[in-house]
Each structure stands twice: as C-alpha cells, then as structure tokens.
Amino acid sequence: MDLKPEAVSKVTVPYVLERKLHGHKLTCITAYDYPTARLADEAGIDVILVGDSLGQVVLGYDSTVPVTLDELLHHTRAARRGSRRSLLVMDLPFGSYQVNDEDGLHAAVRAVKEAGAEAVKLEGGRKRAALIRRLVDAEIPVMGHVGLTPQSVHAMGGYGVQGKTLDSAGRILADAQAVEDAGAFAVVLEGIPRELAVMITERLRIPTIGIGAGPDCDGQILVFHDLAGLTFGAPAKFVRRYASLGEAIAKALADFRHDILAGDYPSDGESYHWPSAVREQFEKESLRRP
Ligand code: KIV
C-alpha cells in the first residue's frame, strides 16, 4: 500500500493502523462545522474529531461535562458534509456511556447511523474495556482516550498533567493496554509526561495520538480553536498557535462597525441599481408629477 497522504483517497481504520506499522505520523484535528471540516479535509489532515471540546470552544460551557449527545450529533452532521477524505470520528459525550454499556452502544450506533461518523471516541481505560469490546463487536471502530480525561474533571479535581508518579504512570499504561486489548484502533494520550507517552507508544501496536504528550506519539491532535487562535484564555503549554483568527475577526468587526457609522459602508459599488431603462422611465414619470 502506498501510504503517502496524497496517494490515499480515503482515510480508513486499516490505513490508520498501517501508518504506525510503517512509522508514518498521523495528523488529526478537531472540527465542529462544515467550513472547518472542509478546510481540514482539503489540507490533507488524516482524522477529524468532532470532540466534546465543542462544549468549551463553540458552545461556551465551562467544561465538556454538559455537552449532550444531540449537540454532538448535530455538529457531526455538519462536519460530515465538509469531509470526504479524512476519517470522521465522533466523541461520545459524558453521560452517554457511563450509566451502562447499553447506552454507550445506542449512542455509538446513532453517531454512525444518524450523523455519518466512521468511528467513535470515548474516555477511560480498563473501566471501559467491556464497552469497547461491545462496540467493536457491533462493527463500530473505537478510539480510546487515556491520561487526562476531561470528562472526569470533577473526579480528577482539575485538568492537571496525569501520570507524574510511577504508580499513576503504571495505571495509565495499564489503561492504554486495556484499550488496545479490547480492540480499539487508536488511543489518544492527553496531558501526560513525554517519557510515559514514549513507553506507551513503544508497547502498543495501535497508534497513539498525543495532545500534551510530547512529540514521540504516532500522531498529534490539537483543538482547532487553539491552533487557530480563536480562544479567549491563555493557551496551554503544549498549544502551538498557527494563526491569530481571534484578532483578525475582532479587527474585521471593528472596521465594519466603523464604516457603517462613518457612512462608508455600503458604497454605491456595493449597491444594486435599477436597469437604465427603468431609471429613465422613473425620471420621465417624476417630471410629469405635479
Ligand atoms: O474533545 C476533544 O477535543 C478531545 C481532544 C482533545 C482529543 O478529546
């Protein structure tokens, strides 16, 4: 198989697994709407994740906890319409799989059937192994997510880096291994020391996708709004800003407002006009008016 991105017209789960075997990095980004998904797809990004980070960067929630299944389905449908080549993955939100595995299976079926997702992502390791097996048995590819798992913010007591002691590192390694053994095709490693990410990446056969986990993972993912500079607080240490869209949009809005107030927008060139015949007729008829 020619694994060069330009040689592959559709990113599939087997292709993602092949890339690790051949030592090629995977490129991943979040997207929640048609234009962003389309731009990511056309840029040759391998995996588009409709992440539950939607809650914070698009919907204005404080955390990912309040995000609902319906919200994720709605945004996944929009991203689906924008993506063709990339593999489209939908996050299962908090509450859609924690009560019982049956709920998780129903949520994942809806992601695939109603929103066009090609895989789902869920957080947790050993605790989620049975659910991952169930989804894989139902022909739904699963991406795992271990380390800093934002849906557990209350249990973790915040968003601190995980796996800083040998004990906790061992637990995260066991979680990643459980995700692989249960049949997941990839696993996100979030917010862990680089050394631990190296160890997990070397031990697993499935690709590791890092976010705040150093450069040695098999792939990298960032939240689109972080990369594009479209967030409001200070970015986390691992974020590299590739654009300053927030500043560009703020300037565009200030200029627009200024031009309206100054009477400069719209100009005559930005206005519609009658055809000349109608204009002439109007002028003649107005002359006749008393
Ligand atoms: O929701 C999300 O954006 C994620 C990524 C950070 C991996 O889970």
Side-chain angles (χ1 to χ4, degrees), residues 29-32 49-57 64 72 91 121 123 143-145 148 150-151 188-190 209-211 221-224 226 238:
I29 192 71
T30 66
Y32 320 93
L49 169 69
V50 186
D52 60 358
S53 49
L54 162 79
Q56 285 157 299
V57 298
T64 58
L72 271 164
D91 240 344
K121 178 169 84 57
E123 296 183 6
M143 180 180 276
H145 184 157
L148 196 178
Q151 291 179 10
V188 170
L189 304 182
E190 179 166 358
I209 315 286
I211 174 161
I221 186 164
L222 276 180
V223 169
F224 171 77
D226 286 337
F238 61 83

Side-chain angles (χ1 to χ4, degrees), residues 179-253:
V179 164
E180 170 169 299
D181 294 345
F185 72 95
V187 60
V188 170
L189 304 182
E190 179 166 358
I192 61 172
R194 179 176 179 177
E195 296 79 3
L196 175 57
V198 169
M199 198 189 295
I200 297 174
T201 301
E202 281 173 354
R203 293 202 189 179
L204 296 194
R205 281 173 287 112
I206 59 172
T208 57
I209 315 286
I211 174 161
D216 311 292
C217 299
D218 299 305
Q220 295 291 331
I221 186 164
L222 276 180
V223 169
F224 171 77
H225 292 63
D226 286 337
L227 162 157
L230 206 44
T231 50
F232 294 95
K237 172 181 174 146
F238 61 83
V239 169
R240 187 177 295 177
R241 283 209 159 147
Y242 287 86
S244 303
L245 293 197
E247 283 164 33
I249 292 171
K251 180 175 179 323
L253 292 170

Side-chain angles (χ1 to χ4, degrees), residues 66-87:
V67 177
T68 66
L69 180 59
D70 283 338
E71 285 165 343
L72 271 164
L73 291 168
H74 173 78
H75 285 270
T76 302
R77 284 186 204 106
R80 171 76 283 160
R81 292 188 280 270
S83 52
R84 288 193 344 204
R85 177 187 171 277
S86 312
L87 184 77

